[in-house]
Amino acid sequence: MSALLESLDENQRRVALALVGPVRVLAGAGSGKTRAITHRIAYGVETGVYSPDKVLALSFTTKAAGEMKFRLASLGVTGVACRTFHSAALAQLGHFWPDRIGGASPKVRASKAQLLTQAAEQLRLPTSAEVLRAVAGEIEWRKVRLISPEGYRDFVASRPLPTGLSADSLIGMMERYESLKDDRRELDFEDVLIATLGLLTATPWAATQVHERYRFLVVDEYQDVSPVQRALLEVWRGKRSDVCVVGDPNQTIYSFAGANAAFLLGFEREFPDAKTIELDTTYRSTPEIVSVANAVVPDSPLHLVATRDHGPTVRVLSAPHDAAEAGAVAADIRRAIDRGTPARNIAVLYRINAQSIALEAALGAAGVPFRVRGARYFKDDSVRRAMTILGGMSETNPTMAAGDALALVLREHFNWISKPPTNPIERQSWDILAALHTLAEGMAPTATVRDLRDELLRRAADDLEPAIDAVTLSTVHAAKGLEWDTVFVIGMSEGLFPLSYAVSDAALAEERRLTYVAVTRAERELTLSWAERPGETGNARQRSRFIPDGLG
């Protein structure tokens, strides 16, 4: 047996052996799906079934695509296109646009805000940040579902109207935004997929080139596919059926962005000869945590089976109000760190960003280093400045040792010292630079400043930030795909989790799946907490219906 197959469990091995035809992999949280699909690709290359340059592996984030590429390289496979839907579409637009349309492909706008402001001003409509965000959200809602501006009129009555806008003014603002964008010969983020879809559909020779370029398709997180992504995938596939989709219906938490698990669940109706393989063995969480996860989604098509040894009982923590809840969680985290749990192995998850405010104050008072997830590491001013300086040093003194070079940069340009400050705000900046220091120290003894520069550029391109020794604060949405030894899920009360406006069956089902995602981020210790009131006064809350009976 190939060494690639020997390292897999039975079901993962079945995935790796299913090299051709339509394949659906239902993969539970922590079941090793990335391991399975990267070994599948590597085994296909090893056996000669795949040529690496004929494989397109699609994911939903730059980080996930970079992780897949890194894992394939560790298996000795290079040349596979590991991309997001958007990066693959953008590359095809740039390739085909000059011949099909003429001239360079349009510029892609980083934000809708500027053009929406101009559209609102021209129409004498409100230009508050709240209104602009809401209109941008409706534009995105429409486009990922392949609904035209004219077609949106059939839906507007059932959509939430931004404050101060009528249905007609909302549609008018959308239409003016599109007109301004077209006049500038620009695209927005969603247009990249729509334009690629339109170009390939209208240009058979271009679609044929794509079919010849990519013979085998692999799609990770297929439960998150939107209608426009699904349509583009069909154009990329053509008449071939060599497509492997991987997903977990219990982790469909992006319905607001058009995600629809029906594509994953209905795959066998589309491909009656498809193979379905279930990865239900989870290697991440203890049996205690897995039991809670299964109880949260009792009607799931996947029932997780734990392999780890038993761990602590899942705790339910109640507090009289939000500030007391934050203080109790901070005190527990302080004790965990003092017992030896690294701060980077602890996370606090919540439903909405506003919940982090009290928590940040409590952690700061307890002297606990923390970092709010969502701030892009390589966009940080200090990191960008350090990379620029290192880039210059790599040209003037390319053989300088990586560790020596970074130590010089940190000392002379940032007055950085190895001892962390006690001030929590200063500590956040210190932690960011400390991660660079740890990365450089961990490189090979022969690594040069040029090697360090190249490693940082690679990580920035793939959105793979170095480890920061701080507690992670994150919304559940932003935590998807991540894991920590110890996890606290706060705000587990009715009105917060589920949110008060989640009243329909579909909305409540999504809140339930969000709870499942939150629970399955924990490896060894899990605490679910809630507060009985927002403050010392105020309306009483009830414990969340998503905390299984028998806990706490």
Side-chain angles (χ1 to χ4, degrees):
M1 183 184 295
S2 166
L4 288 169
L5 300 182
E6 288 179 347
S7 62
L8 304 177
D9 69 25
E10 181 181 352
N11 286 334
Q12 291 171 347
R13 192 175 301 127
R14 290 177 60 204
V15 174
L17 289 169
L19 295 175
V20 295
V23 179
R24 177 178 67 167
V25 181
L26 298 179
S31 62
K33 67 179 177 65
T34 305
R35 179 181 180 81
I37 58 178
T38 51
H39 278 69
R40 177 181 184 269
I41 294 170
Y43 185 65
V45 172
E46 180 182 83
T47 56
V49 177
Y50 300 163
S51 173
D53 62 351
K54 295 295 184 182
V55 180
L56 175 60
L58 295 161
S59 192
F60 282 79
T61 66
T62 301
K63 181 177 181 178
E67 174 67 19
M68 196 179 301
K69 182 169 62 176
F70 175 80
R71 292 204 192 189
L72 284 170
S74 70
L75 296 174
V77 176
T78 58
V80 172
C82 299
R83 293 184 168 176
T84 64
F85 275 87
H86 278 84
S87 66
L90 192 59
Q92 291 172 22
L93 270 186
H95 180 75
F96 293 119
W97 190 281
D99 290 334
R100 177 66 178 84
I101 309 298
S105 57
K107 173 187 173 184
V108 180
R109 295 194 67 87
S111 168
K112 297 178 177 65
Q114 183 182 15
L115 287 189
L116 280 176
T117 300
Q118 293 180 25
E121 289 174 344
Q122 291 177 10
L123 297 173
R124 298 184 179 180
L125 295 173
T127 60
S128 68
E130 180 183 358
V131 168
L132 297 180
R133 280 195 301 270
V135 176
E138 286 302 288
I139 291 172
E140 291 158 11
W141 182 92
R142 171 179 68 77
K143 290 187 176 185
V144 299
R145 291 166 177 79
L146 289 174
I147 299 171
S148 68
E150 297 76 19
Y152 182 78
R153 293 181 181 276
D154 296 332
F155 295 89
V156 68
S158 62
R159 298 298 298 162
L161 288 175
T163 303
L165 294 185
S166 65
D168 286 340
S169 60
L170 170 60
I171 292 171
M173 192 167 168
M174 284 185 173
E175 292 174 339
R176 184 62 59 91
Y177 165 80
E178 296 296 335
S179 176
L180 290 169
K181 180 164 56 64
D182 291 345
D183 288 346
R184 289 162 173 76
R185 204 166 178 269
E186 294 176 340
L187 302 175
D188 60 26
F189 190 70
E190 293 73 33
D191 287 335
V192 171
L193 301 183
I194 296 170
T196 306
L197 176 62
L199 187 152
L200 294 178
T201 301
T203 315
W205 62 263
T208 298
Q209 284 192 33
V210 173
H211 300 158
E212 292 174 350
R213 175 70 174 84
Y214 298 120
R215 175 71 175 79
F216 302 94
L217 299 175
V218 180
V219 189
D220 194 11
E221 303 287 4
Y222 195 62
Q223 79 279 350
D224 289 335
V225 165
S226 67
V228 65
Q229 290 167 328
R230 173 66 170 66
L232 189 54
L233 182 65
E234 286 301 284
V235 172
W236 287 340
R237 181 174 66 83
K239 296 180 179 179
R240 292 171 173 163
S241 61
D242 290 311
V243 56
C244 174
V245 300
V246 187
D248 181 357
N250 292 330
Q251 297 192 62
T252 307
I253 60 172
Y254 295 108
S255 295
F256 63 87
N260 191 340
F263 297 131
L264 174 67
L265 295 173
F267 190 77
E268 287 186 320
R269 290 193 296 272
E270 181 182 3
F271 297 99
D273 59 337
K275 298 175 184 175
T276 290
I277 303 166
E278 293 186 0
L279 300 181
D280 55 4
T281 302
T282 179
Y283 298 93
R284 176 184 300 160
S285 306
T286 63
E288 289 78 8
I289 294 169
V290 169
S291 176
V292 172
N294 285 331
V296 168
V297 286
D299 299 324
S300 167
L302 275 174
H303 185 87
L304 293 179
V305 178
T307 60
R308 290 188 57 168
D309 292 337
H310 285 277
T313 300
V314 175
R315 297 172 58 223
V316 176
L317 172 67
S318 64
H321 49 74
D322 289 347
E325 179 189 16
V329 168
D332 276 0
I333 292 174
R334 179 73 268 170
R335 285 191 289 269
I337 293 173
D338 292 342
R339 289 195 305 267
T341 303
R344 64 180 175 274
N345 291 348
I346 302 173
V348 186
L349 310 182
Y350 36 81
R351 182 63 182 84
I352 57 175
N353 281 308
Q355 290 173 266
S356 75
I357 297 173
L359 192 63
E360 291 177 39
L363 290 172
V368 173
F370 64 87
R371 184 161 187 261
V372 180
R373 181 163 175 80
R376 301 284 293 275
Y377 182 84
F378 288 101
K379 297 292 185 182
D380 182 86
D381 288 342
S382 296
V383 174
R384 296 174 69 174
R385 183 180 168 207
M387 289 177 65
T388 298
I389 298 168
L390 288 169
M393 293 174 67
S394 70
E395 299 301 324
T396 59
N397 192 2
T399 61
M400 187 177 186
D404 292 343
L406 188 62
L408 181 65
V409 170
L410 294 179
R411 184 175 63 251
E412 294 195 356
H413 295 273
F414 296 93
N415 296 318
W416 190 85
I417 57 175
S418 58
K419 183 179 180 180
T422 56
N423 182 292
I425 296 176
E426 294 176 357
R427 176 63 187 263
Q428 291 187 60
S429 299
W430 184 93
D431 284 329
I432 289 171
L433 294 174
L436 283 180
H437 182 267
T438 301
L439 177 66
E441 290 295 308
M443 297 183 72
T446 57
T448 66
V449 62
R450 182 165 288 178
D451 295 327
L452 176 59
R453 178 205 62 182
D454 292 345
E455 174 66 8
L456 290 172
L457 289 174
R458 182 189 71 81
R459 284 174 170 269
D462 293 337
D463 195 23
L464 298 174
E465 66 178 44
I468 297 176
D469 194 24
V471 172
T472 299
L473 310 185
S474 176
T475 63
V476 180
H477 280 102
K480 185 172 177 289
L482 303 175
E483 58 195 61
W484 295 269
D485 174 271
T486 302
V487 170
F488 295 80
V489 185
I490 68 170
M492 290 294 294
S493 61
E494 293 291 314
L496 281 176
F497 219 145
L499 287 174
S500 57
Y501 61 71
V503 294
S504 68
D505 289 345
L508 285 170
E510 183 120 339
E511 296 287 305
R512 184 175 291 279
R513 293 191 296 270
L514 272 164
T515 307
Y516 171 88
V517 169
V519 166
T520 55
R521 298 313 93 195
E523 298 174 350
R524 190 177 59 87
E525 291 196 36
L526 173 66
T527 299
L528 309 176
S529 73
W530 66 287
E532 297 171 0
R533 298 177 186 276
E536 294 185 4
T537 60
N539 294 330
R541 292 173 175 154
Q542 299 297 316
R543 171 171 138 159
S544 171
R545 71 191 75 181
F546 299 144
I547 300 178
D549 294 338
L551 285 184

